[in-house]
Amino acid sequence: MKRVIIGLLIGLPILFISCAGNTYSALRQEEDRLIANYLSRNNINVLTEEPDVDYVWGEKDYYKVQGYDNLYFHLIKRGDSIRIDPSDPTDTIDMTILVNDVIVTRYKKFGLTEYTDTLSYWTTLDQAHPYEFFYGKTSGIASGFTQICEAIGWHEAVRLMKYPDSQCQVLVPSKQGFEADQTSVTPYIYLMKIQVKN
């Protein structure tokens, strides 16, 4: 009898872990199919190499970000790379976004299925304060309105936008998304516009 009880105590947790792994695996496969269907349905032109700064993005051009599964980036508007130095009008200031800069973003969030709902944080009518996060920090302590953004896909989008006043659309799979997206294995499209907090 003891052997049966010990066998059950050892075997049941292994069975539950095995079932949970299969469930996650099935959810990931469904997510991959959903992303593939979205790309096909919208006639997305997938770029496999990162375009240079001067590249003119077509409406359907999406860069499949290297090193990530199913993270796609589309640049809508490139911000200014330099600005005139107010203290010396003959000099310019490089506007490239740096690690630890505070990114101020407005965004819209879409699901990948047809006729999906949109969550909008695009204006002050949608949300009083924009979402602020430290670029390059995915863990740590928040400060005031500034968050720690765990969504690696957002950090990659900022890296690819490069400059303030840029706007993009990014398809973020669950593994590069926010914690809730990772838990639910749900990919999203984000329309983002960014500034750098001074």
Side-chain angles (χ1 to χ4, degrees):
M1 186 67 173
K2 283 185 180 178
R3 287 186 181 167
V4 171
I5 293 172
I6 291 172
L8 286 173
L9 290 174
I10 292 172
L12 286 176
I14 292 171
L15 179 64
F16 287 126
I17 291 169
S18 170
C19 289
N22 288 338
T23 301
Y24 178 74
S25 177
L27 290 171
R28 284 283 297 119
Q29 288 176 359
E30 180 58 32
E31 178 183 31
D32 290 343
R33 281 192 295 274
L34 183 62
I35 291 170
N37 182 280
Y38 177 86
L39 296 173
S40 174
R41 190 175 69 243
N42 290 284
N43 299 313
I44 300 299
N45 176 39
V46 176
L47 307 173
T48 56
E49 293 184 14
E50 183 177 337
D52 62 26
V53 174
D54 298 324
Y55 181 76
V56 178
W57 290 74
E59 184 181 337
K60 300 288 185 177
D61 288 347
Y62 279 71
Y63 166 54
K64 184 175 184 183
V65 182
Q66 298 302 308
Y68 298 97
D69 292 338
N70 291 323
L71 178 63
Y72 293 87
F73 173 84
H74 171 73
L75 186 67
I76 297 169
K77 175 189 169 205
R78 173 86 67 197
D80 291 330
S81 60
I82 58 170
R83 71 176 174 86
I84 304 297
D85 186 345
S87 63
D88 181 3
T90 62
D91 198 8
T92 58
I93 298 172
D94 180 5
M95 298 300 292
T96 303
I97 295 171
L98 303 173
V99 170
N100 288 325
D101 279 348
V102 175
I103 305 301
V104 179
T105 186
R106 289 288 183 178
Y107 67 96
K108 293 181 182 180
K109 177 180 175 180
F110 308 88
L112 270 62
T113 57
E114 290 186 89
Y115 315 113
T116 188
D117 289 335
T118 301
L119 294 176
S120 182
Y121 303 96
W122 201 247
T123 69
T124 54
L125 295 175
D126 300 325
Q127 179 77 20
H129 299 284
Y131 185 80
E132 297 181 6
F133 66 98
F134 293 103
Y135 171 57
K137 289 181 73 175
T138 58
S139 63
I141 300 171
S143 171
F145 284 118
T146 306
Q147 304 293 312
I148 300 299
C149 177
E150 73 269 16
I152 293 169
W154 276 39
H155 292 274
E156 279 299 302
V158 171
R159 180 185 72 79
L160 292 163
M161 284 190 275
K162 297 185 190 326
Y163 309 116
D165 297 321
S166 292
Q167 187 174 327
C168 80
Q169 191 161 327
V170 61
L171 189 162
V172 181
S174 61
K175 290 195 305 186
Q176 282 83 50
F178 289 92
E179 190 174 313
D181 308 336
Q182 294 170 23
T183 302
S184 65
V185 193
T186 307
Y188 287 102
I189 295 278
Y190 293 94
L191 177 62
M192 300 172 63
K193 57 184 176 181
I194 62 170
Q195 296 287 340
V196 174
K197 189 173 187 177
N198 295 327

